Amino acid sequence: MVPARRWLVVAVVCAVAVVAVYLLAVWTVPGQELENAALRGADQAAARDQAVADESLSRITLYSLGAAVVLVGLVGLLRRRVALAVAAVGVIVAGQVVTQVLKRFVLPRPPLVEVTGHYAGNSLPSGHTTIAMTVLFAALLVAPYRWRGTTLFFALSWAVGIGAYTVTAKWHRLSDTLAADAIALGLACLASWWLARRGAVRRHDGPRRIPRVLVVTVAALGGAVFLALGTVLIGASLAGGGYADTVRDNTWVVYLAANSFASSGSIAAALVFLATWRRLETV
């Protein structure tokens, strides 16, 4: 039997990450000010970028979510693996249950800075980002080993784009997307742990798939570029004008940094999940 502890460890780390993101971004004045500055900076995004973001997010509906659930469940059943279908569907459904309960009933947003209207309410975690990431993880779970790289190629860019679009469209803050990434990853790891405990996971002894290696390498490089870009942008802004000037006058730069960090966070979550399944397949 494949040791299942790895998935529990990652799930615990994800839970800690959600708490850390929430406390730092929501319960501190600098956290709220920086994220509000990113929202104001998004106002300066090109009208075409905002339209694309709105259109992409609006395509995620109850019907499209239901279709995704049916599709991943059907793939699992066609592979004659009922447990796999249950695990994949459970990741998507549980993702929305956890996200909506946390956002609506558990996590308050204290009024630490002056803000009015829609932005005064709590929006952490992002439901749209959770949907995108859980669908990605569910697809990776049900995909046969030889198709995992292809699945990653098509689903990852969409999932990463949704996380970034939530910031561009001002539907969510950066912390909302990062928390959603962690929640989706944690739930996918719990599902993987459950499968492993049932003896439904085994080691893959076949040859390494070069296309998948290339996809993972490109994704890792992209994540590193986004992380470096966000760090350079926010670091240069803080060094050049100081914190007060940054949140007041450099909102465009703060938005660009937040957008980059959102993309790198989604890529990192996907790569961590893939790493836990390295050279493993479902029985």
Side-chain angles (χ1 to χ4, degrees):
M1 179 182 294
V2 174
R5 174 197 261 178
R6 70 183 72 181
W7 288 296
L8 279 183
V9 171
V10 176
V12 171
V13 172
C14 288
V16 173
V18 172
V19 174
V21 168
Y22 173 65
L23 293 178
L24 290 173
V26 178
W27 281 87
T28 65
V29 171
Q32 288 198 11
E33 287 182 337
L34 280 171
E35 293 203 304
N36 290 340
L39 289 176
R40 296 194 302 273
D43 288 330
Q44 303 175 47
R48 181 180 180 278
D49 293 339
Q50 293 181 349
V52 171
D54 285 330
E55 182 180 358
S56 299
L57 295 174
S58 64
R59 290 174 182 165
I60 299 180
T61 65
L62 185 61
Y63 298 106
S64 62
L65 178 60
V69 170
V70 171
L71 181 59
V72 297
L74 185 60
V75 172
L77 293 177
L78 288 176
R79 296 186 62 196
R80 299 180 181 180
R81 292 168 172 83
V82 176
L84 187 60
V86 171
V89 169
V91 169
I92 300 175
V93 174
Q96 283 310 291
V97 172
V98 172
T99 295
Q100 298 305 323
V101 169
L102 288 177
K103 179 163 53 179
R104 298 176 185 274
F105 305 111
V106 178
L107 304 180
R109 184 176 183 84
L112 302 182
V113 299
E114 184 177 354
V115 63
T116 59
H118 171 72
Y119 302 127
N122 178 55
S123 56
L124 184 149
S126 164
H128 282 74
T129 304
T130 302
I131 289 175
M133 295 302 292
T134 53
V135 168
L136 167 64
F137 293 144
L140 291 174
L141 278 175
V142 298
Y145 186 86
R146 64 181 180 275
W147 291 105
R148 197 177 292 169
T150 303
T151 303
L152 178 68
F153 176 80
F154 287 104
L156 180 60
S157 58
W158 169 74
V160 171
I162 292 298
Y165 285 150
T166 61
V167 179
T168 300
K170 299 184 294 183
W171 287 26
H172 285 285
R173 304 171 177 88
L174 168 63
S175 59
D176 303 346
T177 68
L178 296 180
D181 290 334
I183 289 171
L185 175 59
L187 292 173
C189 286
L190 289 177
S192 302
W193 171 81
W194 180 72
L195 288 172
R197 293 290 294 174
R198 290 176 58 88
V201 179
R202 69 181 179 188
R203 299 194 181 278
H204 178 78
D205 298 324
R208 178 178 296 181
R209 299 275 176 176
I210 300 301
R212 179 169 52 231
V213 175
L214 293 176
V215 172
V216 171
T217 301
V218 172
L221 290 175
V225 169
F226 281 124
L227 179 61
L229 179 61
T231 302
V232 169
L233 285 171
I234 198 68
S237 180
L238 290 173
Y243 172 78
D245 290 341
T246 296
V247 298
R248 185 183 66 248
D249 301 325
N250 293 335
T251 56
W252 172 246
V253 175
V254 178
Y255 156 71
L256 292 177
N259 199 280
S260 296
F261 286 138
S263 297
S264 65
S266 297
I267 294 174
L271 292 180
V272 169
F273 184 67
L274 273 178
T276 65
W277 276 87
R278 183 175 180 271
R279 304 294 290 174
L280 297 177
E281 62 181 346
T282 52
V283 175

